[in-house]
Amino acid sequence: MRVLGMFLKHHSVAKGILPKHIMNAEDEEKCFKVSRYVLLIGFMSYCLMGAKVFQTLETDIQEKLKNSFLDAETALMKNYVNITPEELEIFLQMLALSIKHGIIPVRTGVVYFSWSFRNSFSFVASTLSTIGYGSIAPRTPMGQIFCVFYALLGIPLTIIFLKAVSNAILRPLSGFEKYLQNMGMEEVMFTK
């Protein structure tokens, strides 16, 4: 409860509601640490929740498509000698649809990009960081709609998270910079 009180006091001071002298340096450092942990936990929870939602939205259709392709492949192999052009066309359409949805058949078996939790989390990370590898993407309309709204909220959250991480990294370095300045080192300019 004391930490929550300090956290609220920190934000009140930051917004100018309370004067700065009410919060001492120790309380400010504790609030800084708490806010970093809250942000980290919130960001990771958002990523894990997104991965689970994408896994849930995309797994069913991919499993149905995989089974349909395996059935079509079995039927083709069974009737290979007597295959008609219509049957070949149906198989090729099923093959094109399967490839479009991430199921890639190879000679040794079927390799496909499943929406396992690991792959879903990888998709979330590449989406929120705006890298977007494209090796896996939502194929269902619900998955695509969810992706748009998830990214609209998640990308700004990622920027805030990365800003907090960079501040956490720079904070000890600024102390080191002050130490070097006190030791007689001057600031180095890298311009001509």
Side-chain angles (χ1 to χ4, degrees), residues 91-107:
F91 179 77
L92 292 175
Q93 287 175 356
M94 178 61 71
L95 178 63
L97 183 66
S98 297
I99 290 172
K100 178 183 174 194
H101 286 277
I103 301 167
I104 303 171
V106 292
R107 181 180 282 185

Side-chain angles (χ1 to χ4, degrees), residues 35-102:
S35 65
R36 279 191 298 183
Y37 290 124
V38 167
L39 184 60
L40 174 67
I41 291 168
F43 182 72
M44 290 307 297
S45 298
Y46 187 76
C47 290
L48 293 171
M49 180 271 311
K52 189 63 182 167
V53 169
F54 281 115
Q55 179 187 19
T56 302
L57 289 174
E58 298 293 326
T59 299
D60 292 339
I61 192 167
Q62 197 167 40
E63 287 299 317
K64 288 176 187 173
L65 266 166
K66 182 182 88 167
N67 292 335
S68 296
F69 176 77
L70 290 175
D71 292 344
E73 182 185 38
T74 303
L76 179 70
M77 297 310 286
K78 183 176 163 186
N79 298 324
Y80 184 75
V81 177
N82 301 327
I83 192 166
T84 64
E86 293 81 22
E87 290 172 328
L88 181 60
E89 182 64 29
I90 290 170
F91 179 77
L92 292 175
Q93 287 175 356
M94 178 61 71
L95 178 63
L97 183 66
S98 297
I99 290 172
K100 178 183 174 194
H101 286 277

Side-chain angles (χ1 to χ4, degrees), residues 15-185:
K15 292 184 177 190
I17 298 170
L18 294 175
K20 260 200 183 297
H21 69 275
I22 291 179
M23 189 157 200
N24 61 26
E26 183 181 316
D27 287 346
E28 192 172 324
E29 182 64 29
K30 285 180 183 177
C31 284
F32 181 72
K33 286 181 180 179
V34 167
S35 65
R36 279 191 298 183
Y37 290 124
V38 167
L39 184 60
L40 174 67
I41 291 168
F43 182 72
M44 290 307 297
S45 298
Y46 187 76
C47 290
L48 293 171
M49 180 271 311
K52 189 63 182 167
V53 169
F54 281 115
Q55 179 187 19
T56 302
L57 289 174
E58 298 293 326
T59 299
D60 292 339
I61 192 167
Q62 197 167 40
E63 287 299 317
K64 288 176 187 173
L65 266 166
K66 182 182 88 167
N67 292 335
S68 296
F69 176 77
L70 290 175
D71 292 344
E73 182 185 38
T74 303
L76 179 70
M77 297 310 286
K78 183 176 163 186
N79 298 324
Y80 184 75
V81 177
N82 301 327
I83 192 166
T84 64
E86 293 81 22
E87 290 172 328
L88 181 60
E89 182 64 29
I90 290 170
F91 179 77
L92 292 175
Q93 287 175 356
M94 178 61 71
L95 178 63
L97 183 66
S98 297
I99 290 172
K100 178 183 174 194
H101 286 277
I103 301 167
I104 303 171
V106 292
R107 181 180 282 185
T108 59
V110 176
V111 176
Y112 67 103
F113 295 107
S114 67
W115 280 90
S116 65
F117 188 76
R118 189 180 112 234
N119 288 345
S120 299
F121 191 80
S122 172
F123 171 74
V124 164
S126 70
T127 300
L128 294 182
S129 63
T130 67
I131 294 171
Y133 289 116
S135 59
I136 187 169
R139 308 284 188 206
T140 62
M142 284 301 296
Q144 292 169 348
I145 291 169
F146 179 74
C147 184
V148 168
F149 291 106
Y150 185 77
L152 281 174
L153 180 63
I155 291 171
L157 180 63
T158 303
I159 292 169
I160 293 168
F161 176 73
L162 292 176
K163 181 182 179 215
V165 168
S166 67
N167 286 342
I169 291 170
L170 290 176
R171 197 169 197 166
L173 293 178
S174 67
F176 183 65
E177 177 188 17
K178 288 177 186 174
Y179 170 76
L180 289 177
Q181 287 174 352
N182 290 339
M183 296 297 292
M185 296 277 216

